[in-house]
Amino acid sequence: MLTALDEGVRGGVWFSLIDKVFAERNLRCSYTKVAAKGGAPGVDHMTVEGFERNLDKNVTNLAKALREGTYQSSAIRRVYIPKPGRHEQRPLGIPTVRDRVVQGAVRHVMEPIFEREFAIHAYGFRPGRGCKDALRRVDELLKNGYVYMVDADLRAIASQ
């Protein structure tokens, strides 16, 4: 993807990216990342280990469904986990392993395209970035003489 982005595509226009998503090499790479994270099974009760037992068949079937346009994601398994330091619980949606593989394959294709356009000092949900990077940036700005900060919880504001 990065080579195509750097060197361009014929005619300078992208017509389709789905063929990159359903490439079996991409799906296998995505599975490797899903397996490394582990995680609970989704509504189909399929574990990462169970998916791996028939990896060749599962990847081939996913590629075919994506190629033919018949792939449909499964429902999300909803569980509730405690919020740290509170009595409230936070909803957590757990996709199936199969859906996580497809989501990762889509991310492999889309992320390089959009990542290069995002603001350099945006840290949320970015590869290789996190809250510690944001804190380092705040520290840098404070050392450079900045004294004002705005903190907004838009979700809390919207619900009032």
Side-chain angles (χ1 to χ4, degrees):
M1 282 306 302
L2 292 175
T3 302
L5 286 172
D6 289 338
E7 296 176 6
V9 293
R10 191 178 312 178
V13 178
W14 292 85
F15 289 99
S16 176
L17 296 175
I18 191 66
D19 60 320
K20 284 81 175 159
V21 173
F22 67 65
E24 289 193 21
R25 181 177 177 199
N26 184 25
L27 291 167
R28 285 180 184 283
C29 181
S30 179
Y31 169 75
T32 301
K33 291 180 180 179
V34 168
K37 285 187 173 181
V43 294
D44 63 356
H45 307 290
M46 172 68 71
T47 63
V48 171
E49 297 79 17
F51 190 91
E52 186 170 6
R53 277 194 285 278
N54 295 307
L55 185 60
D56 290 338
K57 181 180 175 186
N58 286 328
V59 167
T60 299
N61 289 344
L62 269 179
K64 181 180 182 207
L66 289 163
R67 183 174 49 255
E68 294 175 353
T70 59
Y71 170 80
Q72 289 190 351
S73 60
S74 300
I76 300 293
R77 184 165 69 95
R78 177 70 67 197
V79 296
Y80 291 88
I81 60 173
K83 286 187 175 183
R86 296 182 177 174
H87 295 292
E88 299 175 57
Q89 292 198 326
R90 179 172 70 91
L92 184 65
I94 302 174
T96 63
V97 173
R98 179 177 177 264
D99 288 346
R100 289 187 296 225
V101 170
V102 172
Q103 291 165 6
V106 170
R107 191 186 74 249
H108 291 161
V109 173
M110 301 300 291
E111 194 169 74
I113 295 169
F114 289 100
E115 183 61 30
R116 63 194 298 159
E117 301 296 325
F118 292 152
I120 191 168
H121 293 299
Y123 299 97
F125 305 100
R126 302 277 301 279
R129 297 174 186 224
C131 63
K132 288 185 180 181
D133 299 301
L135 291 170
R136 279 190 281 276
R137 176 67 177 152
V138 169
D139 185 56
E140 176 186 328
L141 291 170
L142 289 170
K143 288 176 180 171
N144 286 333
Y146 289 85
V147 293
Y148 295 101
M149 179 186 74
V150 176
D151 180 24
D153 184 345
L154 299 178
R155 182 174 176 182
I157 292 169
S159 66
Q160 292 179 353

